[in-house]
Structures are given as C-alpha cells and as structure tokens.
Amino acid sequence: MSGDDKGEMLEFDIRNPIVFASYTFDEGDSYYTLLFECINGTYDSSNSLWNRQWSRTFRFRLIQSELGVNLEPYQEGVVSCELQQAFAGPFQLYVKDYNGDGLMEFAITQTESASAGDTGRMFALQKDGTVTEIPIKNDRRYVSGFGLIGIHDRETGVFLIPYRHTEGSADLEQIEHGFLVRTEEPFSRGSDSGIYFMGETDGDIRNAAALEDIYLWDGTSFVLTEQRLIYD
C-alpha cells in the first residue's frame, strides 16, 4: 500500500487473512481459537483518526491448538459467515452466553455516526464450529445525522447503542435470558423524539438519568421487550 499526507482510499491485496479479533477457549484437552478475519477490502487512510477504517469482507474461522497458543494462524479450520463490515482496527471480542443455551454468543458492532453511536448484531458459535447470526427484533431506531436517533416504521434487524462507541464488539450487560444496553442521560442531545419509543407517555422522560433497553430471548431471537427509564 502507499498513500500521501492527505489520506486516500487504498485497495489492498491479502495473501493471508488479517486477524481483527480472536477468542481462545478450552474443550477438554484441546484449545480452540475463534478468529475474525479480513479477507479482502480497502483501507481509508484519512487524516481524521476516527474516520480511518478497514472495510469490505470479513469471516469467522475456528481453529484448534493443543497448546492453547495459535502457532499456525493460517492453518485450516471451520470457516463460516462472511460479512461486509468496516472497522478502525483490531478489537477485543466479548463472549458470553446471553440466552442460556450453552453456546458462546457475542455482538459485532458498527459505528453509524461519530456522535450518535453504534449498531450491533448478535452471533453464536455453534457446536459444529460454525458461526450463525441471531435475529434481533422489535428495535425500530436508527442513527440519523447530527448525533440524533430516528425511528423507522419497520424493524432494523439490529440493536442500538446510542451515543457510545464499542470499536467492534460490545461488552453487554448479561441479564436472565438476555442482555441490556444502558444509555446515560439519554435525552441530552436535544432531539424532540429522543431515543425512547416504547410507552413514551409514561413518566417525565426528559428528567431520566438513564435508559435501559432490555432484549430477551424468545426461543429464536433477541427481542427488544422493555425500555426502563432510570431516575436519580
């Protein structure tokens, strides 16, 4: 690759995948590592640090290592779930069992606006080594321009992390049969609609110190089931 002081969009040719995130765990006498890799794409070398990003095609790959150390990062493994994504750089992968089914789950997040926050998609590592996406339902909010949150007349298929950036994976708060996303001072950005849309007539929403979005497992999906306003 080559660039100049002004920055530019650069194509890069990948002979070996670039690892952006990994998670190592043990099963009996063996260790496994789940890799999240970029296999082709572009690099934006903009002068703005927050705007620099690698983008295009990423994939998951599960490999085995008897020593628990990834000595051969390009060995064969179980490949699955290619995604079109963009990230500023490598990040930590946060893994939990949010729905209690015994599988490892994790959120992959994307920056939607420098001032308005991220969106997230949930994935699970299946017993056969493949990664599958878990549907998100009942969230109609989206990141609009100028640090505000809008509301669609349809579901977005993602969950919202307002006014906060997670750099690629979110360490979500685990609750019974699901997770919650907490937003401090949720109405401080001056939007008439705010980011609250379930039961908006309940209470004085402008005086709320925080908003908790509750996503619960219904057997097939995580559903935005409740939004709790927290007061000091």
Side-chain angles (χ1 to χ4, degrees):
M1 295 188 303
S2 64
D4 55 34
D5 293 336
K6 294 182 180 179
E8 59 180 328
M9 185 71 75
L10 301 172
E11 294 280 344
F12 57 89
D13 209 15
I14 299 180
R15 297 185 179 180
N16 290 310
I18 300 174
V19 176
F20 271 66
S22 65
Y23 180 78
T24 298
F25 60 97
D26 64 279
E27 289 284 348
D29 297 329
S30 298
Y31 287 87
Y32 295 86
T33 300
L34 178 65
L35 302 172
F36 186 62
E37 307 169 315
C38 183
I39 56 176
N40 67 67
T42 59
Y43 175 64
D44 183 352
S45 62
S46 166
N47 279 336
S48 301
L49 288 176
W50 63 267
N51 200 34
R52 295 179 181 178
Q53 64 178 13
W54 305 77
S55 60
R56 200 174 292 169
T57 306
F58 291 76
R59 73 179 183 190
F60 294 102
R61 186 160 57 96
L62 184 67
I63 62 174
Q64 183 176 357
S65 172
E66 295 296 328
L67 299 177
V69 178
N70 184 14
L71 300 177
E72 299 180 16
Y74 306 115
Q75 65 181 276
E76 293 184 1
V78 180
V79 176
S80 59
C81 201
E82 290 191 1
L83 307 171
Q84 302 301 306
Q85 304 270 245
F87 302 96
F91 55 87
Q92 180 176 352
L93 191 64
Y94 296 98
V95 177
K96 297 178 183 178
D97 180 7
Y98 291 106
N99 59 11
D101 64 356
L103 299 177
M104 291 184 290
E105 290 128 18
F106 48 90
I108 297 295
T109 61
Q110 292 285 271
T111 298
E112 300 295 334
S113 166
S115 53
D118 292 358
T119 55
R121 299 163 64 184
M122 190 67 74
F123 296 86
L125 176 62
Q126 303 296 326
K127 292 184 178 180
D128 64 358
T130 61
V131 172
T132 58
E133 185 169 0
I134 301 175
I136 302 292
K137 294 183 178 179
N138 204 33
D139 199 337
R140 296 182 286 112
R141 298 167 300 169
Y142 67 95
V143 175
S144 62
F146 308 105
L148 303 179
I149 304 300
I151 298 177
H152 279 305
D153 58 2
R154 55 178 173 77
E155 296 182 7
T156 61
V158 297
F159 65 89
L160 195 66
I161 307 176
Y163 313 140
R164 183 161 59 92
H165 293 305
T166 52
E167 299 181 356
S169 182
D171 186 12
L172 301 169
E173 183 173 343
Q174 187 175 7
I175 60 176
E176 187 175 4
H177 305 304
F179 64 91
L180 71 81
V181 177
R182 182 182 174 93
T183 304
E184 304 291 338
E185 298 182 349
F187 308 103
S188 63
R189 298 300 177 105
S191 169
D192 290 338
S193 62
I195 60 173
Y196 182 75
F197 74 94
M198 297 174 65
E200 291 163 331
T201 59
D202 300 334
D204 183 1
I205 63 177
R206 290 292 169 182
N207 293 327
L211 172 68
E212 292 182 343
D213 298 321
I214 311 299
Y215 296 83
L216 297 181
W217 179 247
D218 71 352
T220 59
S221 311
F222 284 109
V223 183
L224 178 57
T225 305
E226 181 185 356
Q227 291 182 295
R228 299 194 294 231
L229 293 169
I230 308 300
Y231 297 90
D232 289 334

